[in-house]
Amino acid sequence: MAAARTAPTSPGSLKRIVAASLIGTTIEWYDFFLYGSAAALVFNKLFFPESDPLVGTLLSFLTYAVGFAARPLGALVFGHYGDRLGRKKLLVLSLLLMGGATFAIGLLPTHATVGSAAPLLLTALRLVQGFALGGEWGGAVLLVSEHGDAKRRGFWASWPQTGAPAGQLLATGVLSALTALLSESAFTSWGWRIPFLLSGVLVMVGLWIRLSVDESPVFKAALAAAEERRATDAAAEKPPLVAVLRHRWKDVLVAMGARMAENISYYVITAFILVYATTSVGLSKQTALNAVLVGSAVHFAVIPLWGALSDRIGRRPVYLIGAVGVGAWMFPFFALIDRGSFGSLLLAVTVGLVLHGAMYAPQAAFFSEMFATRMRYSGASIGAQFSSVAAGAPAPLIATALLADHGSSTPIALYVIAAALLTVVALACARETRDTDLSEADEPSAAPVRVGADA
């Protein structure tokens, strides 16, 4: 039986959905990126003080990477229940988990107070952050993708993606203001806690907005169709994870490969750069933070533009522009930073983030269009989050280790270029998804999800 067709969401309702997804993802990414910036600036001193500075930074980034390790588990759990219960319920839960963990980090005792228990507690809360974010991304982009129409899906679905630079902007802006207003000793002693505690207020705002939106109409139609099938057909519906791995495993691999350059380049440009600019080039923390701050603002502005372009020329061409561009930019990127001026650092970061946006903007619509509704949360989340373990998780750690071993940016540039090549290969194997009707994708002939159906 064909899936039920859904009426287009009104422009006013769609804008509310976009706003709710954007604000929610901004808060979640603020929480996640705040940790990354703090890991580069203060956690090495507060939680790993017995190590030398560079080793302390490596250990600090190791706890940062632990958050990524939990993201696949979050993708599995949230994807399964998001495909069974709906997108909205799981998005509320992810926001509460992320906000609660971030607020608790702001209350943590340091190594000087409780010894080795401090980094253990920090790691546990980072795991909760990663678990929550692993479920957040898929639900937020699907809620928008499934409300919008195919003609402008790339544009509208790119708005939740701007939550990443908006969260980076907010996190970096708060840290930048605090480092400017407070002395080094005051910031290290207590000032670093303020941005984490601020998360409690932001979560309450995000929760109020997120509770006000409706469930995806495409999901409600697919759920009704599934219930009707269960009433007339003895065949049991497979769990979403099983359906994805059986029928859409190639698309999962494409999504994972597509994320390699996007994920690795982003964390090199925004997180590792704080270490490189301050330790190797000798720039101040304030200078490095300000460059990321301005670059994130430009990143925020260009993502919807790249998303709109993907509606005109396709997801794959825009994504390829970003992958090839980021790879080509890496050597100029480090050459500019090595000049040691704020202007050259700002140019390096901004151009890098603009090119990254060409990958990140169409990603939400691209991944959403690969899967049928009853496996879409699982498929998009698994493809996006499992790759983060190999890509974003170790990126600052690998970059820092390469810098420590070689004392040069060349191996780091080659590392990002290799990731870009992997993404180009993945995109060459991908199918173009622009103009896909998400309700048509639920036709049994197009995306079978029942036991005994053929792929």
Side-chain angles (χ1 to χ4, degrees):
M1 178 178 176
R5 300 296 186 268
T6 57
T9 304
S10 67
S13 296
L14 181 57
K15 289 176 182 177
R16 287 195 297 273
I17 297 293
V18 170
S21 293
L22 171 58
I23 292 171
T25 53
T26 297
I27 294 168
E28 297 236 14
W29 282 112
Y30 165 81
D31 291 346
F32 202 75
F33 288 142
L34 181 60
Y35 189 104
S37 297
L41 298 175
V42 295
F43 281 176
N44 57 331
K45 303 170 187 173
L46 297 173
F47 293 92
F48 307 98
E50 296 176 356
S51 306
D52 66 60
L54 196 55
V55 173
T57 301
L58 283 169
L59 291 173
S60 184
F61 274 140
L62 186 59
T63 64
Y64 172 76
V66 163
F68 287 83
R71 284 166 69 170
L73 180 59
L76 291 173
V77 174
F78 279 80
H80 173 81
Y81 287 103
D83 282 328
R84 289 298 178 93
L85 304 177
R87 288 56 166 126
K88 177 180 172 178
K89 295 182 180 69
L90 275 298
L91 284 173
V92 169
L93 178 60
S94 70
L95 187 62
L96 289 173
L97 284 174
M98 175 67 86
T102 305
F103 186 81
I105 289 174
L107 299 175
L108 276 183
T110 64
H111 188 279
T113 305
V114 296
S116 59
L120 291 177
L121 290 170
L122 181 67
T123 302
L125 291 172
R126 182 60 174 172
L127 283 169
V128 176
Q129 280 191 323
F131 179 78
L133 192 62
E136 160 69 21
W137 180 84
V141 300
L142 293 190
L143 199 62
V144 175
S145 295
E146 293 177 347
H147 273 86
D149 65 279
K151 290 183 179 180
R152 302 194 69 196
R153 186 178 298 125
F155 171 73
W156 289 116
S158 70
W159 279 101
Q161 299 291 78
T162 65
Q168 180 77 67
L169 190 64
L170 187 58
T172 307
V174 172
L175 284 172
S176 181
L178 288 172
T179 56
L181 294 173
L182 300 177
S183 65
E184 180 80 16
S185 60
F187 180 76
T188 304
S189 176
W190 56 268
W192 69 271
R193 297 181 182 275
I194 294 175
F196 289 91
L197 297 177
L198 179 62
S199 176
V201 178
L202 296 176
V203 166
M204 291 300 103
V205 174
L207 188 61
W208 173 70
I209 294 172
R210 189 158 275 184
L211 286 170
S212 68
V213 303
D214 294 327
E215 182 55 81
S216 154
V218 172
F219 173 80
K220 288 191 287 187
L223 181 61
E227 290 174 348
E228 184 177 341
R229 284 196 301 269
R230 281 196 294 269
T232 59
D233 190 343
E237 187 177 47
K238 296 197 297 284
L241 175 61
V242 175
V244 166
L245 296 181
R246 179 175 179 181
H247 301 295
R248 289 290 182 263
W249 60 270
K250 291 181 180 178
D251 288 328
V252 169
L253 291 179
V254 166
M256 292 175 66
R259 286 216 77 197
M260 297 303 291
E262 178 268 305
N263 224 216
I264 289 173
S265 65
Y266 188 77
Y267 290 104
V268 167
I269 294 169
T270 61
F272 169 72
I273 196 62
L274 298 178
V275 176
Y276 185 80
T278 56
T279 61
S280 293
V281 184
L283 294 169
S284 68
K285 292 178 184 178
Q286 187 68 45
T287 299
L289 284 169
N290 287 344
V292 175
L293 188 69
V294 176
S296 295
V298 176
H299 194 210
F300 178 92
V302 300
I303 285 177
L305 301 180
W306 285 121
L309 183 62
S310 78
D311 287 326
R312 296 179 64 86
I313 67 174
R315 318 299 185 212
R316 292 171 68 241
V318 174
Y319 215 116
L320 275 169
I321 291 171
V324 173
V326 161
W329 183 243
M330 276 301 103
F331 280 112
F333 174 78
F334 284 108
L336 283 168
I337 297 171
D338 288 339
R339 291 184 178 181
S341 69
F342 174 72
S344 60
L345 175 63
L346 178 61
L347 178 62
V349 171
T350 302
V351 172
L353 288 177
V354 168
L355 293 169
H356 172 270
M359 294 182 283
Y360 201 54
Q363 190 178 97
F366 190 30
F367 292 3
S368 298
E369 291 160 349
M370 290 181 181
F371 305 97
T373 302
R374 294 286 281 165
M375 65 173 79
R376 187 170 293 132
Y377 203 144
S378 296
S381 296
I382 291 169
Q385 303 306 332
F386 271 68
S387 60
S388 68
V389 176
L397 189 65
I398 290 173
T400 303
L402 289 172
L403 179 63
D405 288 344
H406 300 278
S408 166
S409 62
T410 298
I412 305 166
L414 292 174
Y415 167 52
V416 179
I417 291 170
L421 291 174
L422 282 174
T423 292
V424 169
V425 171
L427 293 171
C429 298
R431 56 191 172 88
E432 179 55 61
T433 61
R434 182 173 61 114
D435 296 328
T436 297
D437 187 320
L438 296 185
S439 61
E440 290 284 354
D442 292 326
E443 297 288 350
S445 59
V449 296
R450 290 183 292 165
V451 172
D454 295 325

